[in-house]
Amino acid sequence: MASASFVKLNASSSPWIGQRSFNQRSGSSSRLPAQRVSVIRAGSYSEELIKTAKTIASPGRGILAIDESNATCGKRLASIGLDNTEANRQAYRQLLLTTPGLGQYISGSILFEETLYQSTTDGKKMVDCLREQNIVPGIKGLVPLPGSNNESWCQGLDGLASRTAEYYSQGARFAKWRTVVSIPCGPSALAVKEAAWGLARYAAISQDNGLVPIVEPEILLDGDHPIERTLEVAERVWAEVFYYLAENNVMFEGILLKPSMVTPGADHKEKASPETVAKYTLTMLKRRVPPSVPGIMVRILYLDSFLSGGQSEMEATLNLHAMNQSPNPWHVSFSYARALQNSVLKTWQGRPENAEAGQMALLARAKANSLAQLGKYSAEGESEDAKKGMFVKGYTY
């Protein structure tokens, strides 16, 4: 496939990236080169990357994240009385990925490594189940960042090129590496810098090997801070991220973002309305994200904060709906884990006779979020379970 080239101006000339790195203090004698022009090359995968990103960012569709580690998946299974065995994990993931009609509302699914190589009980590869419904398979990774305030960063860059090439050969076409920034902990300058640099290097390496990178510096909901503080931290983090993305010649047309919604801390005394969350989140995105980025897959629960991040299923969907009441420079959709799976688990209960009902519960939530992406959602008729919050303090997955 022919390579494509794109001209990139350095960060100092860009309207959406700050004049200096977040950690470079005002008054520093260090200066960025003046008006340097370089060429961005994503190699032979350029056209495929753009096509993949546009497929995932298609109207009325979003991402289903079932990328929990085996340990975290075990906790979810334990909530319905099931042991954490490979067979039970297979049964649960098979239930989700073989749901008839899922591709109408889901454009991509983030998988844990075990699932990428896993087959159904009938011998069909899980990735093939997704492809049959025009759902793009993806992969994720995360490890703790030493020396920070219990924050995390994307998996080690050593060997990443060979791993992404292997994931591509297994059918993955996008990747999600996630870093975690904690507001009550600072956030630490180390976490912000390493998050931005690590994400930028991961993005560049992923593109070189045919995977669309989902860039995700997650800002945790933990804390009692007001929404203004979340906005301040989010702007700082994303300014740093785009600075290093540009420095690493990442092709913005071939990436997706997965930001946390801008909300007050989970312990803050006042809860923000969906309209307020939408206003602050879109303010942050418009200040920091260039329009060449094709899609923003917002985390809708604490677990998955535009991703969903600890809101209830209904609250998360209302927030997304509010964000799509007027045109945006990019496709704004959802990437949900617990926000889509919570009702499924409670309905399924690990019983084969409940499998179809569990799949119907998944479709109901997926459809609700599809309508929210289109700006047409109504909370009328939502169940009591959908109104319950899912925040877990210090949650890891």
Side-chain angles (χ1 to χ4, degrees):
M1 188 175 294
S3 62
S5 298
F6 300 85
V7 175
K8 182 267 295 185
L9 297 179
N10 73 302
S12 63
S13 64
S14 168
W16 25 261
I17 301 178
Q19 293 289 326
R20 57 175 66 82
S21 170
F22 167 43
N23 293 307
Q24 181 181 338
R25 298 181 181 277
S26 299
S28 169
S29 60
S30 175
R31 296 178 181 272
L32 293 173
Q35 298 299 314
R36 186 183 73 236
V37 177
S38 61
V39 177
I40 295 177
R41 298 184 187 276
S44 60
Y45 293 104
S46 298
E47 293 178 13
E48 183 180 354
L49 291 168
I50 294 172
K51 181 179 178 181
T52 298
K54 287 183 177 179
T55 297
I56 296 173
S58 53
R61 301 205 298 166
I63 290 176
L64 169 63
I66 58 169
D67 56 341
E68 309 90 353
S69 66
N70 288 345
T72 300
C73 187
K75 293 177 182 178
R76 295 195 182 182
L77 294 174
S79 71
I80 57 172
L82 293 184
D83 293 331
N84 186 14
T85 64
E86 183 177 355
N88 284 337
R89 293 193 300 272
Q90 178 196 39
Y92 178 51
R93 290 161 177 164
Q94 179 174 327
L95 170 78
L96 297 171
L97 299 183
T98 60
T99 299
L102 187 63
Q104 184 177 350
Y105 311 117
I106 301 297
S107 57
S109 182
I110 309 171
L111 309 176
F112 189 61
E113 189 173 68
E114 179 181 70
T115 316
L116 184 66
Y117 293 87
Q118 210 165 37
S119 298
T120 67
T121 53
D122 294 331
K124 181 184 290 186
K125 291 183 178 180
M126 296 284 191
V127 292
D128 289 339
C129 294
L130 293 171
R131 285 169 171 162
E132 287 178 358
Q133 298 207 57
N134 194 29
I135 299 173
V136 183
I139 186 73
K140 81 106 181 216
L142 168 76
V143 295
L145 170 62
S148 69
N149 299 324
N150 294 316
E151 293 149 317
S152 302
W153 74 316
C154 53
Q155 192 172 4
L157 296 172
D158 291 343
L160 180 58
S162 61
R163 291 200 306 276
T164 50
E166 171 63 18
Y167 295 150
Y168 183 93
S169 71
Q170 288 297 317
R173 290 298 180 268
F174 71 98
K176 185 208 79 170
W177 260 250
R178 162 178 167 261
T179 67
V180 174
V181 174
S182 172
I183 293 179
C185 291
S188 68
L190 173 65
V192 173
K193 181 177 180 180
E194 290 297 333
W197 175 254
L199 285 170
R201 290 303 305 143
Y202 131 74
I205 293 169
S206 295
Q207 287 189 341
D208 283 345
N209 290 282
L211 300 184
V212 169
I214 291 185
V215 179
E216 184 191 352
E218 181 190 356
I219 299 172
L220 297 178
L221 290 184
D222 303 68
D224 59 0
H225 50 276
I227 195 170
E228 291 81 8
R229 173 60 176 159
T230 307
L231 175 64
E232 176 189 0
V233 171
E235 288 183 348
R236 290 176 176 175
V237 170
W238 280 104
E240 193 85 343
V241 167
F242 271 104
Y243 173 84
Y244 284 114
L245 286 173
E247 288 296 295
N248 281 274
N249 295 328
V250 171
M251 184 178 70
F252 291 167
E253 294 88 342
I255 68 174
L256 296 168
L257 306 185
K258 195 175 184 184
S260 302
M261 287 187 178
V262 177
T263 68
D267 297 325
H268 188 63
K269 59 185 178 180
E270 295 182 8
K271 198 166 190 176
S273 68
E275 293 74 20
T276 299
V277 171
K279 175 185 175 182
Y280 275 82
T281 303
L282 289 174
T283 294
M284 183 276 292
L285 293 173
K286 288 176 180 177
R287 288 174 177 173
R288 292 294 180 259
V289 182
S292 55
V293 173
I296 295 175
M297 319 307 288
V298 290
R299 189 183 238 245
I300 290 179
L301 269 159
Y302 174 72
L303 279 199
D304 41 314
S305 182
F306 250 63
L307 303 175
S308 332
Q311 310 153 52
S312 71
E313 290 179 345
M314 187 183 73
E315 287 173 330
T317 307
L318 282 169
N319 289 341
L320 179 62
H321 169 78
M323 294 180 66
N324 282 292
Q325 291 308 296
S326 59
N328 291 306
W330 349 258
H331 173 85
V332 178
S333 192
F334 59 89
S335 177
Y336 294 171
R338 282 197 303 170
L340 288 178
Q341 297 179 41
N342 195 48
S343 297
V344 180
L345 278 169
K346 291 183 178 180
T347 304
W348 176 49
Q349 291 294 315
R351 299 172 183 171
E353 63 270 23
N354 292 341
E356 184 176 351
Q359 291 178 330
M360 292 303 100
L362 173 60
L363 280 182
R365 285 256 52 88
K367 181 179 180 180
N369 288 293
S370 170
L371 291 171
Q373 195 287 314
L374 298 170
K376 299 177 180 179
Y377 169 74
S378 170
E380 185 177 351
E382 285 281 19
S383 68
E384 289 303 313
D385 281 342
K387 300 176 183 179
K388 294 179 181 177
M390 288 181 271
F391 174 75
V392 178
K393 187 173 184 180
Y395 181 84
T396 59
Y397 72 116

